[in-house]
């Protein structure tokens, strides 16, 4: 079971954001991607999740090509993503954000809403229960009824993770989950990720914070200028001279 | 020959559409919203040109009057309305621009009355080129459009402020980082977009008659041309205006004179669905 | 929601009770006959509307000065239609329900008249309009015969055009119509009348308002090589068309309705362009004493000449015809008044030109009121048939050559 | 007096119905529909033509809702692919095309001559009673529509459309297809406008293409912006203010006599413009507060 990224290339105007990226990631792994600004990390996520179409290359999930699938279809296949800048539904409360994320609700269609009210009520009760558990797990229960636009940056990151969890994911792509988050909360989030991974959910994590990432993931890839420079265990990768040259700017 | 003549008629009408579309595309590219006040700005330009023409008897003065009056009024609109909406949604700006359109029309209606006004232009028989009738007035009009375009493109490509405008249009954040002051760019933008709309209004007024309502009707074809040309592309807007004008007239033997107005809409729809970035547009999508 | 529903039912009950209230509440004050002046004071009809309204008030004052009608004073309540059917309906509702008027006078555009006439029919009161749409003559609009039209229908205009066309010896007419009820009404009326004479129309073009140019439309019409073009047009589009036609250089004659081919057109295009254009207009009864009386009052009220607004001559006549019918009926019942309107306006009878004169003559026998806008004879549909003046534009002046009666 | 108020009430309720449709589309979902009047026109013509050809009123109204809804379908399909502002322009163009079709297809719509003599609701009850019954019917329909929209707003469906309004891509990232929701919203809002159109046709009894100009759309926008975007109470209050404005302008000349009659139409449209600008700048949440203050 794996996510395979084969020779993905993507240009914006004359700028080559991804240049033949090739990676294979086990879907139950904890996998990190690091790289400087503009290395193409977020673009890679957008290509994997279907928001940006690649110019060339293939994306396979469990051996099946998914390039033709729309972003929602990819999400329904169990591969969720979060965004670098949190995209909470700002006028909805935390609870509503999570309830909205539950999949396959009868009340999501107007016909179901008006003609199967009993079914809708039953489902709502079940979803509410799941939401309570998710909020407790992510320690969001204190802000359950706060409009999500008013949350702190870290809480928004947690909420994004929570929404993804509501969809019963197999693999979550986390885009900079620690950026702008206070250190205490970073520890918290890392614990949650480890717990979830232990339950079989895979993570691919883009991160700036090298130190945080090396504590979390057993394997990572380094990207620069749209290319993967190296891949492997953090210690080995960081010793790679090419990586040191490109990413760490020669700092020893 | 019948069709060739229709085609030529359309091209000259397309000049006005193209200039209006140029004003829209400048604003859309830089201020990032569809300015629904463009049509009524044209009306303002036409009245300003009328007044200047009556006072001076010179069409050059009339053109300058149209350009400066409309530019200044749009700049005032920017200062008093659009600037206050910075950071708000596109809807807010769009609705505000409709408000400005209505307000302009009302003021012009009260100030100049609802009766029609005309430019006192001596009428002349057409030149005939191989059976095609071409009016001297249309040729003069084309010259005015050409001068306007040269001025606009000169400004955009040869001056510092023009380069800054294009930089902001390309990437606002990048432009800010590189030290461009958006305030100055916006002032230049509104003056320029207003001046172009004003000239377009004067041309429309010279071809037809001037009433307080006449500019609004140009909005749909002008938006269409802006989209067809590719939002943010000045060259595209003008070329698309010409194409649109020609297509509208060319279609009349087949669809009649009523449905030719709907042609603009169908073209717009087709472009948006098939090639959203238009003829000359950048990659930036419409989705 | 429950409170809402209860409140709603309560309100509904109260409202029905009030409206179904005994007729005592609805009765008019003694000694007054109230009429509604429902004119296009704002909107597209604004150039005429306020003059029309003023003439209704002024004529009512004259009637009252002569002792009123059937012993009652005429009282006028004014409202604005905004030249919009929706606003017109609301205004008519107000006049009928709040002011309890017994007749509504002065609706102008066909859209407003067509929307108001069901209300006046329901309320069983008279409506007098100046609209052109043929639909107003027949049921359902005029199902009760309570609606009177003081303006020539568009159809009649068209027939006049055909008459002139024949008289001038044109053989190959084409038409150009502004795409609205009045524009198409004119050219369709022309086409029907012309084809009824066994002739053919070589081209028909309908064009849209507010176009930057009508060159392609013209091109199509001229391609048929007509010797005359008959239009159903307005001033603004006619201005553009005439200028573009002149520049095309193809010789052709024009027959244009008077509201488009007028001194404003000459001013807009210059005299050279419109030289020889034939302008057709329904003409007021300008030699009659009634017109003189009207024109005097109109000039005093507005500072403009009586000829500048034919619709206000019509509203002037409305009050006169209505008041004379009331006087003749000796009653304020709608049915009784309605029965007398044709009797006091149409021949046979002593010709009278003012209210006082008519009131006096009524004592002796039948009268025939001759109005300011026309001789005011209503046909079976309640339509007048005014005369049409045929004007030729010569050297920038409109010279009347002859008059056509349909 | 009462009958006049009932008449104003009927027109006001027609605007409430229109505003409710827009509240669902723009207020809750964020769709900038600038072509509302097109659906209003489709409803008016559909019901008028059906009833005048012998169909019962209920069929006329159902047809109006259905056809307006169906017309929204292709517009919905287009909306899937367009950004907000483009969608606004497309819908504006759509309503103009509707007007052009109504003008041109004379065999069906009688073109610019319009359709006179459209049957009124409850005409057999006679003037006052029929009027009250009409008012009661449209009130009942409006209350039902308001109830439906509140129900939608508080439902799983409502959560998603508000989520779409707040961030469409995030909704996609959760495995949900925004187009599915947008189309439903457009169809329901259009159907409401269609029903409003049917009421309008059977109340005014005369319809003509020139009644269906974009200004009507912007009247409705003015109503919801003044009332408060995304709230049922906002739609109601906004429509009441709009009606007071439209009818009340009869009295403006009494207050400011130096405005000539001819200029009143200009003053009216200028005030619409000014109010739009002022509300957008200084009170974007409207009088009743918008969805942020629910």
């Amino acid at each position: 079971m794996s996510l395979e990224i084969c020779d993905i290339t993507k240009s914006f105007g004359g700028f080559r954001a991804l240049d033949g990226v090739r990676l294979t990631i086990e879907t139950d792994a904890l996998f990190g991607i690091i790289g400087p600004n503009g290395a193409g990390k977020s673009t890679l996520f957008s290509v994997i999740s279907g928001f940006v179409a690649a110019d060339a290359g293939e994306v396979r999930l469990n051996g099946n090509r998914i390039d033709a699938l729309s972003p929602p279809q990819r999400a329904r296949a169990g591969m969720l993503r979060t965004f670098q800048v949190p995209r909470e539904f700002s006028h909805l409360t935390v609870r509503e954000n999570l309830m909205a994320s539950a999949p396959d609700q009868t009340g999501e269609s107007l016909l179901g809403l008006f003609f199967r009210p009993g079914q809708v009520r039953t489902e709502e009760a079940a979803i509410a229960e799941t939401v309570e558990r998710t909020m407790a797990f992510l320690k969001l229960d204190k802000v359950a009824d706060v409009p999500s636009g008013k949350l702190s940056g870290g809480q928004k990151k947690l909420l994004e993770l929570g929404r993804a969890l509501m969809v019963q994911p197999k693999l979550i792509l986390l885009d900079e989950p620690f950026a702008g988050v206070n250190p205490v909360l970073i520890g918290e989030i890392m614990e949650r990720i480890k717990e979830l991974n232990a339950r079989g959910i895979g993570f691919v994590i883009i991160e700036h914070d090298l130190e945080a990432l090396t504590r979390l993931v057993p394997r990572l890839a380094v990207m620069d200028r749209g290319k993967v420079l190296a891949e492997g265990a953090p210690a080995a990768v960081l010793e790679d001279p090419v990586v040191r040259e490109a990413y760490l700017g020669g700092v020893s | 020959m019948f069709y060739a003549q229709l085609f030529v008629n359309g091209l000259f009408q397309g000049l006005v559409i193209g200039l209006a579309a140029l004003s829209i595309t400048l604003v859309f590219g830089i201020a990032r919203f569809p300015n629904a006040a463009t049509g009524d700005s044209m009306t303002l330009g036409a009245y300003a040109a009328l007044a200047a023409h009556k006072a001076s008897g010179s069409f050059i003065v009339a053109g300058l009057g149209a350009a400066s009056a409309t530019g200044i009024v749009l700049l005032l609109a920017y200062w008093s309305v659009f600037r206050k909406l910075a950071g708000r949604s596109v809807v807010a700006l769009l609705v505000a621009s409709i408000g400005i359109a209505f307000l302009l029309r009302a003021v012009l209606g009260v100030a100049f009355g609802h009766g029609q006004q005309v430019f006192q232009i001596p009428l002349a028989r057409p030149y005939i080129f191989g059976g095609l009738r071409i009016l001297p007035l249309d040729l003069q009009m084309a010259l005015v459009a050409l001068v306007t375009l040269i001025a606009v493109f000169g400004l955009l490509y040869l001056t510092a402020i023009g380069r800054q405008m294009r930089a902001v249009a390309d990437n606002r954040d990048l432009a800010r980082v590189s030290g461009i002051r958006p305030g100055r760019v916006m002032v230049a933008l509104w003056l320029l977009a207003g001046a172009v709309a004003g000239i377009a209004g004067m041309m429309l007024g010279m071809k037809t008659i001037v009433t307080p309502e006449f500019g609004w009707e140009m909005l749909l074809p002008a938006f269409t041309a802006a989209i067809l040309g590719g939002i943010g592309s000045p060259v595209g807007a003008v070329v698309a205006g010409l194409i649109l004008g020609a297509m509208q007239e060319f279609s009349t033997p087949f669809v009649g004179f009523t449905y030719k107005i709907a042609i603009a809409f169908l073209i717009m729809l087709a472009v948006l669905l098939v090639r959203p970035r238009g003829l000359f547009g950048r990659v930036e999508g419409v989705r | 929601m429950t409170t809402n529903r209860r409140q709603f039912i309560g309100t509904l009950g109260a409202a029905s009770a009030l409206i179904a209230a005994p007729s005592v509440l609805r009765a008019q004050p003694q000694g007054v006959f109230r009429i509604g002046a429902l004119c296009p004071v704002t909107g597209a009809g604004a150039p005429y509307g306020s003059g029309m309204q003023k003439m209704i008030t002024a004529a009512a004052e004259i009637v009252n000065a002569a002792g009123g009608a059937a012993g009652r004073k005429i009282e006028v309540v004014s409202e604005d239609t905004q030249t919009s059917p929706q606003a017109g309906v609301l205004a008519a509702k107000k006049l009928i329900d709040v002011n309890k008027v017994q007749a509504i006078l002065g609706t102008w555009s066909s859209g407003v008249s067509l929307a108001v006439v069901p209300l006046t029919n329901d309320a069983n009161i008279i409506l007098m309009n100046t609209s052109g749409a043929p639909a107003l003559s027949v049921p359902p609009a005029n199902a009760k015969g309570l609606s009177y039209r003081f303006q020539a229908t568009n159809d009649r205009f068209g027939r006049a055009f055909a008459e002139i066309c024949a008289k001038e010896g044109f053989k190959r007419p084409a038409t150009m119509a502004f795409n609205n009820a009045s524009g198409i009404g004119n050219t369709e009326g022309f086409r029907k009348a012309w084809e009824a004479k066994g002739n053919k129309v070589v081209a028909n073009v309908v064009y849209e308002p507010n176009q930057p140019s009508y060159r392609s439309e013209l091109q199509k019409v001229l391609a048929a090589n007509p010797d005359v073009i008959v239009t159903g047009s307005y001033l603004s589009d006619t201005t553009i068309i005439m200028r573009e036609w002149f520049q095309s250089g193809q010789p052709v004659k024009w027959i244009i309705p008077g509201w488009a081919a007028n001194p404003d057109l000459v001013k807009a295009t210059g005299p050279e362009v419109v030289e020889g254009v034939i302008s057709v207009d329904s003409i007021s009864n300008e030699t009659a004493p009634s017109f003189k009386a009207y024109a005097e009052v109109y000039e005093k009220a507005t500072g403009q000449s009586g000829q500048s607004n034919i619709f206000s001559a019509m509203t002037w006549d409305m009050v006169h015809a209505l008041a004379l019918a009331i006087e003749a009926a000796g009653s304020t019942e709608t049915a009784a008044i309605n029965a007398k309107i044709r009797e006091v306006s149409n021949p046979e009878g002593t010709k009278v030109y003012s209210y006082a004169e008519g009131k006096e003559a009524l004592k002796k026998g039948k009268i025939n009121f001759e109005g300011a806008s026309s001789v005011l004879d209503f046909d079976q549909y309640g339509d007048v048939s005014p005369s049409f003046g045929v004007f030729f534009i010569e050297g920038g002046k409109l010279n009347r050559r002859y008059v056509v009666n349909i | 007096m009462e009958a006049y108020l009932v008449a104003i009430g009927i027109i006001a309720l027609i605007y409430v119905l229109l505003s409710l449709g827009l509240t669902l589309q723009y207020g809750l979902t964020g769709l900038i529909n600038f072509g509302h009047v097109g659906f209003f026109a489709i409803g008016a013509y559909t019901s008028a033509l059906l009833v005048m050809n012998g169909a019962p009123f209920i069929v006329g109204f159902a047809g109006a809702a259905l056809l307006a809804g169906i017309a929204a379908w292709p517009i919905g399909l287009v909306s899937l692919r367009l950004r907000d502002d483009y969608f606004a322009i497309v819908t504006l163009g759509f309503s103009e095309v509707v007007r052009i079709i109504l003008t041109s297809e004379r065999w069906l719509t009688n073109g610019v001559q319009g359709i006179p003599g459209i049957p009124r609701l409850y005409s057999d009850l006679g003037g006052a009673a029929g009027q009250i019954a009409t008012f009661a019917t449209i009130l009942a329909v409006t209350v039902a529509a308001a109830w439906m929209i509140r129900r939608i707003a508080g439902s799983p469906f409502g959560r998603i459309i508000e989520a779409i309004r707040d961030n469409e891509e995030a909704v996609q990232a959760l495995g949900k297809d925004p187009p599915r929701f947008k189309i439903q919203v457009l169809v329901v809002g259009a159907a409401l406008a269609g029903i409003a159109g049917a009421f309008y046709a059977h109340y005014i009894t005369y319809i003509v293409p020139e009644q269906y100009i974009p200004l009507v759309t912007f009247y409705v926008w003015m109503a919801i912006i003044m009332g408060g975007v995304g709230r049922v109470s906002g739609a109601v209050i906004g429509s009441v203010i709009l009606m007071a404005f439209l009818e009340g302008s009869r009295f403006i000349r009494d207050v400011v006599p130096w405005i000539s009659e001819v200029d009143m139409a200009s003053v009216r449209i200028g005030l619409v413009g000014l109010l739009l600008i002022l509300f957008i700048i200084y009170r974007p949440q409207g009088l009743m507060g918008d969805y942020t203050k629910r």
Side-chain angles (χ1 to χ4, degrees), chain A residues 13-201:
Chain A
F15 175 67
R16 201 155 248 228
L18 295 175
D19 190 359
V21 173
R22 187 181 262 274
L23 276 174
T24 301
I25 302 164
E26 297 304 312
T27 49
D28 59 355
L30 267 179
F31 190 89
I33 299 176
I34 58 169
N37 263 335
K41 302 176 309 256
S42 285
T43 307
L44 181 63
F45 265 21
S46 291
V47 168
I48 298 173
S49 56
F51 284 92
V52 168
D55 298 335
E58 288 178 14
V59 182
R60 291 173 192 268
L61 188 60
N62 302 333
N64 304 318
R65 280 195 69 166
I66 58 169
D67 307 73
L69 300 185
S70 70
Q73 283 172 322
R74 296 185 202 203
R76 289 199 290 268
M79 187 174 67
L80 276 291
R81 75 166 292 186
T82 67
F83 294 93
Q84 189 175 356
V85 179
R87 298 197 175 182
E88 75 286 355
F89 307 132
S90 53
H91 297 106
L92 302 185
T93 63
V94 168
R95 178 179 278 119
E96 287 168 334
N97 263 270
L98 294 172
M99 292 199 65
S101 309
D104 303 323
Q105 304 177 37
T106 305
E108 275 181 7
S109 98
L110 288 178
L111 289 179
L113 184 60
F114 285 100
F115 294 102
R116 295 169 70 190
Q119 172 87 10
V120 173
R121 263 195 302 277
T122 317
E123 284 179 15
E124 284 287 270
I127 294 169
E129 214 168 283
T130 318
V131 166
E132 288 307 322
R133 265 187 282 126
T134 309
M135 289 194 299
F137 176 71
L138 295 173
K139 303 230 160 68
L140 284 170
D141 38 4
K142 284 192 200 68
V143 290
D145 295 310
V146 173
S148 58
K150 301 216 162 80
L151 298 179
S152 73
Q155 287 170 321
K156 286 181 183 176
K157 296 270 182 191
L158 278 170
L159 177 59
E160 287 238 322
L161 177 58
R163 282 197 318 211
L165 291 177
M166 289 299 297
V167 194
Q168 294 151 5
K170 298 193 185 76
L171 176 66
I172 301 180
L173 313 176
L174 288 177
D175 199 341
E176 301 201 8
F178 310 129
V181 179
N182 77 54
V184 181
L185 209 47
I186 290 182
E188 189 79 34
I189 296 176
M190 291 212 308
E191 284 314 304
R192 297 300 153 221
I193 291 174
K194 281 179 183 163
E195 267 183 71
L196 290 165
N197 185 243
R199 290 190 218 158
I201 299 176

Side-chain angles (χ1 to χ4, degrees), chain A residues 51 72 75-76 80 83 87 89-92 96 99-103 105 107-108 110 113-114 124 163 167, chain D residues 148 151-152 155-157 159-160 163 165-167 169-177 180-181 184 188 291-292:
Chain A
F51 284 92
R76 289 199 290 268
L80 276 291
F83 294 93
R87 298 197 175 182
F89 307 132
S90 53
H91 297 106
L92 302 185
E96 287 168 334
M99 292 199 65
S101 309
Q105 304 177 37
E108 275 181 7
L110 288 178
L113 184 60
F114 285 100
E124 284 287 270
R163 282 197 318 211
V167 194
Chain D
M148 180 185 75
R151 177 79 198 276
I152 289 176
S155 74
F157 184 88
R159 284 195 301 253
I160 306 285
R165 178 196 62 206
D166 285 353
N167 198 311
E169 283 201 338
V171 173
Q172 290 182 301
L174 293 169
K176 298 177 195 295
D177 286 307
R180 231 186 74 211
F181 298 91
Q184 294 185 54
V188 170
Y291 49 79
T292 60

Side-chain angles (χ1 to χ4, degrees), chain D residues 50-103:
Chain D
L50 283 174
V51 173
M52 289 180 84
N53 284 299
F57 279 109
I58 187 76
V59 174
F61 277 75
L66 197 68
L67 212 66
I70 289 174
W73 191 270
I75 297 295
L77 291 177
V78 173
S79 79
L80 326 181
R81 312 186 42 156
L82 297 180
R83 227 171 55 194
D84 305 351
D85 37 3
Y86 289 82
F87 183 63
I89 300 169
V90 166
T91 50
L92 180 64
F94 163 77
S95 71
E96 288 289 87
V97 169
V98 167
R99 193 163 58 84
I100 290 170
I101 291 173
L102 293 176
T103 308

Side-chain angles (χ1 to χ4, degrees), chain B residues 230-282:
Chain B
I231 288 300
S233 162
V235 184
V238 177
V239 173
L242 293 174
I243 293 175
L244 188 63
M247 278 177 86
Q248 278 195 342
E249 292 311 305
F250 205 70
S251 70
T252 56
F254 311 105
V255 301
F257 294 105
T258 309
Y259 277 119
K260 82 173 175 193
I261 305 168
I263 294 278
F265 176 72
L266 291 178
I267 292 176
M268 173 161 77
L269 214 53
V271 172
L272 285 175
L273 293 179
V274 179
R275 191 185 161 86
R277 64 191 151 111
L279 299 175
F280 298 82
R282 287 184 304 264

Side-chain angles (χ1 to χ4, degrees), chain C residues 213-281:
Chain C
S213 160
Y214 294 107
R215 208 171 299 154
S216 302
E217 285 85 341
L218 262 173
Q219 190 183 332
K220 183 177 172 199
V221 169
L222 292 174
N225 267 317
D227 53 6
V228 64
I229 297 172
V230 175
T231 75
S233 58
Y234 290 93
L235 177 61
S236 53
D237 40 300
T238 307
T239 309
I240 302 169
I241 289 173
M242 292 311 291
R243 295 206 313 196
E244 290 184 338
W245 161 72
F246 182 76
Q247 293 178 329
S248 81
Q250 183 167 339
V252 70
K253 294 286 181 196
W254 294 83
I255 300 178
I256 300 174
W259 55 79
N262 58 17
D264 286 338
L265 179 70
V266 179
K267 208 174 93 195
T269 63
E272 194 192 349
V273 176
V274 292
E275 181 72 22
V277 167
I278 300 171
S279 165
V280 183
D281 210 348

Side-chain angles (χ1 to χ4, degrees), chain D residues 12-30:
Chain D
L13 284 173
I14 289 173
Y15 276 113
V16 173
L17 269 179
L18 285 170
S19 305
L20 286 173
L22 207 54
T23 296
L24 179 63
Q25 292 174 339
Y26 173 63
L28 295 176
T29 321

